[in-house]
Amino acid sequence: MTRLLLLNGPNLNLLGTREPDLYGADTLETIERRAAACAREAGCELACFQSNAEHALIERIHQAPAEGIQCLLFNPGAFTHTSVALRDAVLAVRLPLIEIHLSNPHAREPFRHRSYFSDIALGVIAGFGTLGYEMAVRAAAQHLARAPRAE
Ligand code: DQA
């Protein structure tokens, strides 16, 4: 079975109450549940992990290959714009990455325009709110169905 890992970075545990005009009213639990259902429909299994700590996200990424994870779906939150260490972790495990954002960072403050992940991602889904997570699951499933698994 194709295994995907959905990672969410800092402050995304507060979805539902955090700046709902920007990020919507759904909680992370709801988003994860919908994404998992979408993964099942596509014949995949979705593991989910959120942390406010850079090191915890790095360690989760390091574990991914040993768990048979084949693709990372990642909303790095503010680490998008700051974290060379998370970028290096993704490169180290050599797993395909889909970058997700609820908002469109390019339509926001200039400091959100730089991402340490976009140039190493298969693709970036931004600005579609919670739908972006389901789009990312579908994109990952289709990509993996086409690309033979790298051993
Ligand atoms: C975000 C965009 C980031 O700039 C911000 O720091 C977040 C959320 C998004 O999903 O739109 O925490 O990643």
Side-chain angles (χ1 to χ4, degrees), residues 4-151:
L4 313 173
L5 174 61
L6 174 61
L7 295 161
N8 278 283
N11 301 308
L12 294 166
N13 56 313
L14 298 181
L15 288 175
T17 56
R18 176 192 178 198
E19 299 184 83
D21 292 349
L22 259 178
Y23 299 122
D26 290 329
T27 63
L28 183 59
E29 196 189 338
T30 302
I31 291 168
E32 288 177 346
R33 201 168 350 100
R34 281 202 213 115
C38 195
R40 277 194 298 278
E41 275 169 32
C44 303
E45 194 183 317
L46 185 77
C48 299
F49 182 74
Q50 186 278 333
S51 181
N52 297 318
E54 196 174 29
H55 72 92
L57 290 161
I58 291 168
E59 279 157 22
R60 191 67 190 79
I61 291 167
H62 289 179
Q63 286 165 20
E67 290 171 12
I69 300 289
Q70 289 160 258
C71 188
L72 303 173
L73 316 179
F74 193 12
N75 182 347
F79 289 147
T80 305
H81 321 296
T82 63
S83 185
V84 176
L86 276 166
R87 174 193 172 93
D88 285 350
V90 172
L91 288 172
V93 298
R94 297 201 287 173
L95 287 172
L97 165 76
I98 298 180
E99 181 182 346
I100 307 168
H101 299 286
L102 291 149
S103 66
N104 176 2
H106 294 282
R108 299 180 62 192
E109 305 94 321
F111 65 82
R112 294 185 204 275
H113 297 181
R114 179 179 68 178
S115 166
Y116 280 103
F117 299 91
S118 300
D119 66 306
I120 60 165
L122 279 179
V124 182
I125 299 171
F128 295 103
T130 57
L131 178 63
Y133 286 85
E134 293 167 52
M135 292 164 81
V137 168
R138 293 213 177 93
Q142 282 206 19
H143 172 77
L144 293 168
R146 283 177 197 154
R149 186 173 179 187
E151 296 299 341

